[in-house]
Every structure is written in structure tokens, then in C-alpha cells.
Amino acid sequence: MFKKKLGGIIQVDGEEDTLDTAAVEEPVAAEAANAPVSEDVWDSDEEKAAKRELQEQSSVIGKAAVITGDLGAKGPVTITGVVHGNVSCEDKICIRGEVVGNITAKSVLVMDGGRVQGNIASTTDLVLQTGAAIEGDLVAAKMNLEGSLTGNINCSGDLCLGAKSVVTGDISTKDICTTLGAHINGRVEMKG
């Protein structure tokens, strides 16, 4: 039997039954007001606290924002607007907008539609999705590239080039895997 609550009315297979909402809505409304959207009901208190702390440390540069100058952050950064300047982050950077400047972070994700004109250095991983483009050199421990790169790659670990990836520049890596359709316009050097 399916029940759907519609503002104090329960609908059961097209029929309506009234419900005493005072007894039900007060505790539910209080819980909903205190629970952040990103938390899962199955998370432990420690996991919820960690998610809240991460959410409080996150920075978002919105679509309409244009920042001129260097940007530094300790927590995760999401850029959907435009940044003209260098970006450094002790955590993850997610780029959906445009960055004209160098990027240094723990982890970097350039999403579909994201554009970067500058060098990127990541201490762990770097992901370039299909439809994203970078003009600059890349340095990371691990890379997964699906988009377009004009610049050199220095990867200390695994480098994966997807079917729609286009790399114009030299590659230096420990291991490389390419999918049929990947284009490399440059030299490839395998590190020992």
C-alpha cells in the first residue's frame, strides 16, 4: 500500500484520509531543520561531524563571479565562475568555470566545460573530463585525461588517456594506458 503525505492529508491509491498533523509534523519538522541535506541517515555521528566540518570549509566561486587576484584555501574549492590569478588549495579543486593562472592542490578535477590556462600541480590525482580543456603543463602522481591538453605531462604514477583525449605535448610517466581513439601529438618517455 502506497501512502503519500500532502500537507496534512494522506493519499492512498487516489483516496484521501485526514491525519492529525500536529502529532506527526512537529518532530519531523524539527529533525528536518537540523539535518543538513548532504548527510545520509545511515552516517554515524563522527561521519556527520566530518561532513559538516568539510562543508563549512568549502569555498564556491559562483557562475556570475569574476575574481582577479590569487586565491588560497585550506578546504575544497569549486570554481564555476572565472578566476584570473593563481589558485592554491590544500584540498580538492573542482573546476567547471575558467581559471587563467597556475593551480596547486592536493587533487584537481576539471569538469566538462571547465577551462584552465596555466600549469597544474597536484600532489595526488588529476582528472580532466570530456569537454574540458587545459593549456599548460601538468604534474601529478596519477592522471586520468578524457579532454584536451596543450602542454607537457609529468606523471609519477599511472596515466590513463580516454578515447576522446587529445594531448599536444610531451609525456613523461611511469605507466600509461590509452583507449582506442586517444590522440598524442608529442613524445612519450617511460620512467623506470
Side-chain angles (χ1 to χ4, degrees):
M1 175 188 282
F2 176 73
K3 293 185 177 184
K4 184 176 178 183
K5 185 177 174 194
L6 301 170
I9 299 175
I10 296 180
Q11 184 174 356
V12 181
D13 298 327
E15 299 175 12
E16 295 181 358
D17 292 334
T18 58
L19 172 70
D20 179 16
T21 59
V24 176
E25 287 184 10
E26 256 182 60
V28 173
E31 287 177 27
N34 294 331
V37 177
S38 64
E39 288 184 359
D40 191 329
V41 294
W42 303 109
D43 286 346
S44 68
D45 289 341
E46 292 83 20
E47 290 170 324
K48 288 178 184 177
K51 284 183 180 182
R52 279 190 205 113
E53 184 176 336
L54 183 65
Q55 192 174 26
E56 289 170 0
Q57 292 177 357
S58 296
S59 301
V60 177
I61 310 301
K63 276 186 175 183
V66 177
I67 294 179
T68 302
D70 294 344
L71 175 67
K74 289 187 179 189
V77 176
T78 301
I79 300 171
T80 57
V82 178
V83 175
H84 292 277
N86 298 325
V87 180
S88 66
C89 178
E90 294 178 15
D91 208 315
K92 180 178 183 175
I93 293 180
C94 177
I95 302 165
R96 294 180 183 166
E98 181 180 349
V99 175
V100 180
N102 298 328
I103 298 172
T104 305
K106 180 179 177 183
S107 175
V108 179
L109 168 63
V110 184
M111 300 183 72
D112 183 13
R115 301 279 180 259
V116 177
Q117 292 179 332
N119 300 328
I120 299 177
S122 171
T123 55
T124 58
D125 62 325
L126 190 149
V127 176
L128 177 64
Q129 291 184 342
T130 304
I134 299 173
E135 292 178 27
D137 296 339
L138 307 182
V139 176
K142 182 179 174 184
M143 293 186 205
N144 186 355
L145 308 179
E146 295 281 343
S148 170
L149 169 69
T150 302
N152 299 318
I153 295 174
N154 186 349
C155 183
S156 60
D158 299 334
L159 169 65
C160 292
L161 300 177
K164 297 192 182 220
S165 63
V166 177
V167 177
T168 304
D170 295 337
I171 297 172
S172 176
T173 185
K174 181 181 175 192
D175 287 316
I176 187 170
C177 71
T178 61
T179 305
L180 184 63
H183 292 281
I184 302 172
N185 301 314
R187 297 178 315 132
V188 176
E189 175 191 348
M190 301 300 290
K191 298 177 184 179

